Amino acid sequence: MTSSDKPENAEDTPETSAGHTGVAAMEWAAASADPQYRAAVVDLLGALAYGELAAFERLAEDAKLAPTLADKAELAKMASAEFHHFERLRDRLAEIGEEPTLAMEPFVAAYDGFHKQTAPSDWLEGLVKAYVGDSIASDFYREVAARLDSDSRALVLAVLDDTGHGGFAVEKVRAAIDADPRVGGRLALWARRLMGEALSQSQRVVADRDALSTMLVGGVADGFDLAEVGKMFSRITEAHTKRMAALGLAA
């Protein structure tokens, strides 16, 4: 994802704060013997792969709105990093015997719908979308990764690595607000809308895929119980608030 950096002083997410047990302590070869778990991981990798491909396309489009050649070049570099993430996921799907296109296809409508509903009207809205909107999705996938086998977890966390967009967005948005404080109000409203749309998208993706929903809410891969689901969304919301503060915007 384009901006998966963690805010400073964010609470540890499960993959960093506790030892792994159950499926999370296994390698792919052992964990994938369970067909339901295998299906869930294929869905997850397919969703991530299309997300990275969509991020590449969007950054390339956003580069057209860049006010300077230096900004254009910076976004082009980030787009290249997103495409490399896509390639890693595509290659992993092929490696485990899955057709990447088929694995991605179920998630095209959800991602395309999200991007259609949140098309930025200018350069600054595009930066906020990449920093805030994509970060929410990345936080969600990090939470899921804590429940995965060691091989899949390592891959997911690697492709969620920050491409540098976070610091770039903060610098540009803060400079714009300093130059014209009125910009802050507009961007704060935009970021709140992104928050709602991103959470809704994550919920739709899970709800539409039986294997993924079963993995998340119990039965497969040490799924979350209802209390943990609440804590997960609290952590995601807290991280969003910290990113808003980093941008100089009110949550």
Side-chain angles (χ1 to χ4, degrees):
M1 297 293 174
T2 53
S3 181
S4 56
D5 54 320
K6 299 179 187 176
E8 289 185 9
N9 304 320
E11 292 183 6
D12 286 341
T13 49
E15 77 272 6
T16 62
S17 61
H20 298 297
T21 60
V23 169
M26 299 180 185
E27 295 181 347
W28 169 254
S32 62
D34 180 341
Q36 194 170 26
Y37 174 76
R38 180 188 176 91
V41 172
V42 170
D43 273 351
L44 184 66
L45 297 184
L48 276 170
Y50 189 71
E52 295 293 342
L53 186 59
F56 160 73
E57 292 179 319
R58 195 184 69 251
L59 281 171
E61 284 295 312
D62 287 351
K64 297 177 182 177
L65 301 173
T68 70
L69 284 176
D71 291 337
K72 189 184 294 288
E74 189 68 23
L75 285 188
K77 182 176 71 174
M78 294 172 192
S80 176
E82 297 298 347
F83 192 76
H84 178 61
H85 289 167
F86 160 72
E87 289 179 314
R88 291 188 64 178
L89 290 159
R90 178 200 63 194
D91 293 348
R92 177 58 176 169
L93 283 163
E95 182 183 339
I96 63 175
E98 300 292 334
E99 169 52 53
T101 302
L102 293 179
M104 290 188 289
E105 187 62 38
F107 307 101
V108 171
Y111 272 104
D112 287 358
F114 170 73
H115 290 307
K116 183 177 180 180
Q117 291 167 357
T118 58
S121 62
D122 61 20
W123 159 251
L124 290 173
E125 286 189 1
L127 290 178
V128 171
K129 179 179 177 179
Y131 182 59
V132 172
D134 287 358
S135 292
I136 294 166
S138 294
D139 288 343
F140 172 75
Y141 286 124
R142 272 203 192 89
E143 295 278 354
V144 177
R147 264 65 180 179
L148 301 180
D149 65 274
S150 59
D151 297 315
S152 300
R153 182 171 62 250
L155 173 62
V156 169
L157 294 178
V159 299
L160 292 178
D161 235 0
D162 184 24
T163 60
H165 204 106
F168 181 76
V170 168
E171 177 188 349
K172 298 297 180 180
V173 170
R174 277 191 167 276
I177 294 172
D178 287 344
D180 182 2
R182 293 172 300 178
V183 169
R186 173 172 67 86
L187 293 180
L189 289 173
W190 171 244
R192 291 188 199 111
R193 178 184 167 194
L194 291 169
M195 173 73 170
E197 292 288 352
L199 288 178
S200 295
Q201 181 212 26
S202 298
Q203 292 165 353
R204 282 196 302 269
V205 166
V206 172
D208 288 347
R209 305 297 293 177
D210 290 342
L212 266 181
S213 59
T214 300
M215 183 175 75
L216 282 178
V217 297
V220 179
D222 306 320
F224 297 92
D225 60 27
L226 291 179
E228 289 177 32
V229 169
K231 291 177 183 177
M232 174 185 74
F233 281 107
S234 292
R235 286 192 294 269
I236 291 173
T237 301
E238 181 181 354
H240 168 73
T241 300
K242 290 180 178 180
R243 289 190 181 98
M244 291 285 281
L247 288 170
L249 302 175

